[in-house]
Amino acid sequence: MSGRFSGKVVVISGGSRGQGASHAERLASEGAAVLCGDVLDDEGRATAARLQALGHDVTYQHLDVTSSGDWATAMAWCRTRGRLDVLVNNAGIIHVNPLTEERLEDWNLTLTVNATSVLLGMQAAVPLMRETGGGSIINVASIFGMAGAEGYIAYCASKGAILAMTKTAALELAKDKIRVNSIVPGGVSTPMNENEPEGGVVPLTPLGRRAHVSEISGSIAFLASDDSVFVTGTELIVDGGYLAK
Ligand SMILES: NC(=O)c1ccc[n+]([C@@H]2O[C@H](COP(=O)([O-])OP(=O)(O)OC[C@H]3O[C@@H](n4cnc5c(N)ncnc54)[C@H](O)[C@@H]3O)[C@@H](O)[C@H]2O)c1
């Protein structure tokens, strides 16, 4: 399939559903070969089958982002395609508890799945990106990494860590022509927040709604493509105006 990502190879973590599945569809529709990795294997296989039926080059593979071994398996798949151009570190979990009640076990799990995973993903991807002359890494943060949110102490810490890691990685990898940026979504309608009370962030969002997943995918495609060739070490906020106040 021809398009902006024709001949490019993309890995998307958390690609079984929600935003990750939408990003896979968008990048594949512009010509990319996409590997979706997740721990939801049945959903991931179904997503890949749905996108393949549309003519897209999308493969599902089990990828627990907290496992270095699983990242190595993902990179082995990329080597069968000869390269890796784009990594979207999208997998994440939400965890709600006020700081006075936070349990170390839940804190550690949230930090490991949301933030340590980004380190592991970048460590896995960089050698192959270096071999093929560069790439684009997009780390999915959140408005809750830039602003406080009552009850979300661990989630906020994990997303803030992503913003900081992104800047350091961008500095270290610029010489390799590897760009590293964060995307900062506001509320997005996905299974992650379908049970949020009172519309979650919607009342605080000037545009008055959550984003559709495809509205985040457009910004992912921008950061993944050469349209953003001079953009590195920064955040792209896609939040319906939430952080403007
Ligand atoms: N939905 C929102 O409002 C919102 C807002 C800002 C940021 N985000 C972030 O966007 C990203 C995508 O979330 P979403 O909204 O699509 O929610 P989602 O729950 O639909 O998708 C998250 C995906 O990550 C996967 N995942 C969880 N743990 C994993 C692990 N250990 N290894 C591999 N995959 C794992 C899940 O199985 C799921 O498929 C997350 O990082 C989330 O924190 C979401």
Side-chain angles (χ1 to χ4, degrees):
M1 194 173 285
S2 64
R4 257 195 308 186
F5 301 110
S6 192
K8 305 281 188 190
V9 175
V10 174
V11 171
I12 302 175
S13 71
S16 286
R17 68 181 195 189
Q19 294 178 64
S22 171
H23 305 336
E25 180 164 6
R26 174 63 188 260
L27 298 184
S29 74
E30 293 194 47
V34 179
L35 179 70
C36 287
D38 206 299
V39 290
L40 296 177
D41 294 330
D42 290 344
E43 266 186 79
R45 279 191 280 269
T47 294
R50 177 176 64 79
L51 297 178
Q52 286 161 11
L54 296 173
H56 299 324
D57 184 353
V58 177
T59 302
Y60 175 77
Q61 198 165 276
H62 182 85
L63 168 63
D64 180 341
V65 289
T66 68
S67 161
S68 300
D70 285 2
W71 276 112
T73 306
M75 293 308 115
W77 179 88
C78 294
R79 285 191 181 278
T80 68
R81 300 299 186 106
R83 56 193 300 114
L84 173 60
D85 299 284
V86 177
L87 168 64
V88 185
N89 279 313
N90 165 77
I93 54 173
I94 196 94
H95 166 65
V96 187
N97 221 2
L99 79 94
T100 52
E101 289 156 42
E102 184 60 305
R103 292 166 2 128
L104 192 55
E105 191 184 331
D106 294 327
W107 166 273
N108 285 339
L109 179 66
T110 306
L111 270 287
T112 303
V113 173
N114 289 2
T116 308
S117 65
V118 172
L119 172 73
L120 295 177
M122 293 195 292
Q123 286 180 327
V126 164
L128 188 48
M129 285 185 170
R130 276 185 177 143
E131 280 176 35
T132 46
S136 174
I137 297 174
I138 304 158
N139 298 325
V140 179
S142 167
I143 50 174
F144 288 1
M146 299 188 92
E150 290 147 339
Y152 290 83
I153 187 82
Y155 187 79
C156 290
S158 70
K159 294 301 188 181
I162 290 173
L163 298 172
M165 278 192 286
T166 294
K167 291 185 188 301
T168 296
L171 295 177
E172 292 188 10
L173 300 174
K175 64 181 182 312
D176 299 308
K177 297 190 172 55
I178 299 171
R179 299 184 295 109
V180 190
N181 293 290
S182 299
I183 194 152
V184 179
V188 189
S189 294
T190 70
M192 179 174 279
N193 58 20
E194 62 194 359
N195 297 319
E196 261 181 3
E198 296 157 16
V201 299
V202 171
L204 299 170
T205 301
L207 287 183
R209 62 178 177 86
R210 290 195 180 98
H212 185 269
V213 286
S214 63
E215 295 169 328
I216 307 300
S217 300
S219 297
I220 292 280
F222 168 69
L223 289 176
S225 76
D226 286 345
D227 289 349
S228 60
V229 73
F230 205 56
V231 180
T232 196
T234 194
E235 301 90 30
L236 178 50
I237 297 170
V238 193
D239 70 346
Y242 181 97
L243 290 171
K245 287 181 218 162

